[in-house]
Amino acid sequence: MSALKTILKATAATVIVSASAAYAEDVEVLHWWTSGGEAAALNVLKQDLEGQGIGWQDMPVAGGGGEQAMTVLRARVTAGNAPTAVQMLGFDILDWGNEGALADLNAVAADQGWDAVVPDALKSFAKVDGKWVSAPVNVHSTNWVWANKSVLDANGIAPPQTWEEFEAALATLKEAGVTPIAHGGQAWQDATVFDAVAMSAGGPDFYKSAFIDLDAEALGSDTMVEAFRRMEVIRANVDENFSGRDWNLATAMVINGEAGFQMMGDWAKGEFLNAGKVPGEDFLCFRFPGTQSQVTFNADQFAMFDQGGVVSDQQAALASAILSPSFQSAFNVVKGSVPARTDVSDEAFDACGKQGMKDLAAAASSGNLFGSMAHGHANPAAVKNAMYDVITAHFNGEYDAATAAEELATAVEIAQ
Ligand code: BGC
């Protein structure tokens, strides 16, 4: 029996006893949206619900990628006190759904016609055995670069299109005494960069074989060695205080002109906007060099925990607010992501948002849309965490590139 099953079994009685708490007027929402830009986006949702007379009990757990949030969630479920709704990514949703812990949202979904408007790539993480168990909020993607426009202009740098051009730009910035790359040395951030670097080094077939199919040969291949070698180039271009830095503080370095580039998912755009910056004028967004036709995506969803067999009115209201077209536009404009529905106009979105929507549609139709390894959309948590460990250990100099590729193949084999 899995640890999760044991927890659920041991606490089933308490879960039922505490169910009445969920029928209070409030929704309690566990999430990791704690940066300035994220909080601004979350406010759009809070206000929407408050407008319907539903109060909001905030349960924020800092930590990009949501690892800490998932640890807190497990503790809450163990204590028989699951939150009403939980921000969740990809395989984590499927895990909880398969354990039978999530509420059946089919009635709300049918009412709003989710099946017709939510893209298949998201549906495969939102439905378990034909049952909708979570409400998709957005689509983010990880293979973006964010740049300070004046820093690039001052150094005669155009957005690099290839890895070689990127390396040259890094060298120019270093020479000019500017930190080339703003980075936060946390495992999930190292892995976020690796999503794009591996895609760029090996292309879409390689990314799929290594991260989605978990093919041992691809994991230990020369191409993987090259991906790790490129991570060493990145490591050589971050400042000396990178270790442990939060991602939004790294974004602030680009906003303030202390650094040229940040490689980060498009939640970084929320920080630029929150600081009053304008795309194309103050900052630039472009796909990581060599990944222009690909999108490595992750979608935030709110999974509703089963509160005794019925979806509460508050859960239904939250789910339906999330999927409404007006919310999908208003929220994602602020968050940096793009809508989780295919029928929302791009009119309200800035240039980066418009590009994000176009890229997503193009990647989906050309077979170039892949789940992000770093953000729980390529493989289950055990495998993801095993990959994190190797990527981070290598980034911090514990392994050379060849050893890292070998370790990655071994770690993934053990984790499965
Ligand atoms: C989430 C984003 C969030 C980011 C940083 C990602 O895993 O999908 O919504 O902004 O982490 O916290």
Side-chain angles (χ1 to χ4, degrees):
M1 189 185 289
S2 74
L4 187 53
K5 270 192 189 137
T6 316
I7 288 167
L8 286 172
K9 201 169 172 210
T11 59
T14 5
V15 171
I16 291 164
V17 171
S18 67
S20 57
Y23 297 103
E25 292 305 305
D26 292 354
V27 281
E28 193 200 3
V29 183
L30 193 155
H31 63 87
W32 63 93
W33 286 336
T34 55
S35 76
E38 291 173 330
L42 193 64
N43 259 333
V44 177
L45 184 55
K46 279 186 197 167
Q47 280 164 9
D48 190 317
L49 287 175
E50 276 163 12
Q52 301 181 47
I54 298 170
W56 181 280
Q57 275 184 48
D58 212 33
M59 178 78 194
V61 182
E67 261 190 294
Q68 287 90 323
M70 291 304 102
T71 305
V72 170
L73 171 64
R74 230 163 278 129
R76 287 283 305 263
V77 174
T78 308
N81 184 23
T84 325
V86 180
Q87 178 192 359
M88 234 186 251
L89 297 173
F91 278 89
D92 290 333
I93 304 171
L94 299 182
D95 281 352
W96 285 105
N98 284 323
E99 296 292 346
L102 302 181
D104 179 347
L105 301 175
N106 272 1
V108 193
D111 201 41
Q112 284 186 316
W114 294 3
D115 274 301
V117 293
V118 174
D120 288 346
L122 264 56
K123 258 186 229 163
S124 57
F125 290 111
K127 292 177 88 166
V128 171
D129 297 334
K131 199 170 86 176
W132 284 91
V133 294
S134 66
V137 181
N138 61 13
V139 188
H140 272 301
S141 56
T142 56
N143 57 323
W144 286 104
V145 184
W146 307 91
N148 181 300
K149 185 168 185 312
S150 6
V151 169
L152 261 54
D153 288 350
N155 290 285
I157 298 170
Q161 300 300 305
T162 61
W163 170 257
E164 290 70 25
E165 284 179 22
F166 189 50
E167 267 194 296
L170 299 178
T172 305
L173 290 178
K174 207 175 211 179
E175 179 73 28
V178 179
T179 298
I181 294 173
H183 181 64
Q186 296 174 341
W188 75 270
Q189 294 189 60
D190 300 340
T192 301
V193 173
F194 200 58
D195 260 357
V197 168
M199 178 67 88
S200 172
D205 291 345
F206 167 72
Y207 185 96
K208 180 173 179 295
S209 309
F211 293 154
I212 294 172
D213 302 338
L214 304 178
D215 177 67
E217 225 170 276
L219 286 162
S221 65
D222 288 350
T223 309
M224 191 61 84
V225 176
E226 172 61 12
F228 278 113
R229 196 197 61 74
R230 292 184 182 190
M231 289 298 278
E232 291 167 13
V233 174
I234 309 266
R235 170 68 184 82
N237 283 284
V238 303
D239 70 318
E240 59 181 16
N241 298 318
F242 80 100
S243 187
R245 175 187 287 134
D246 286 333
W247 68 271
N248 52 315
L249 301 181
T251 310
M253 291 170 67
V254 178
I255 293 175
N256 299 332
E258 286 162 50
F261 302 109
Q262 182 186 22
M263 281 105 79
M264 189 42 66
D266 38 14
W267 46 89
K269 193 186 78 180
E271 298 304 299
F272 284 95
L273 300 183
N274 197 46
K277 303 296 178 192
V278 178
E281 287 177 25
D282 305 307
F283 69 97
L284 303 173
C285 58
F286 53 92
R287 292 288 170 186
F288 187 80
T291 71
Q292 286 87 346
S293 309
Q294 286 89 41
V295 170
T296 45
F297 83 98
N298 62 302
D300 292 303
Q301 307 207 27
F302 277 106
M304 309 291 167
F305 272 74
D306 189 354
Q307 311 275 351
V310 268
V311 176
S312 72
D313 291 349
Q314 289 76 15
Q315 286 178 319
L318 177 59
S320 124
I322 287 171
L323 265 298
S324 88
S326 57
F327 170 80
Q328 285 283 327
S329 177
F331 176 90
N332 287 307
V333 159
V334 179
K335 182 69 171 66
S337 36
V338 304
R341 298 176 59 119
T342 50
D343 61 346
V344 176
S345 155
D346 71 357
E347 205 185 319
F349 288 80
D350 60 29
C352 301
K354 284 189 169 68
Q355 186 190 334
M357 288 172 78
K358 225 170 85 211
D359 289 352
L360 179 65
S365 63
S366 63
N368 277 300
L369 178 63
F370 299 97
S372 154
M373 170 275 293
H375 292 264
H377 280 71
N379 39 61
V383 173
K384 179 187 87 169
N385 291 332
M387 289 191 175
Y388 274 22
D389 289 348
V390 176
I391 295 163
T392 281
H394 167 262
F395 200 74
N396 290 298
E398 267 179 58
Y399 308 130
D400 62 20
T403 313
E406 268 170 40
E407 290 289 330
L408 191 66
T410 310
V412 168
E413 196 190 331
I414 293 170
Q416 284 183 82

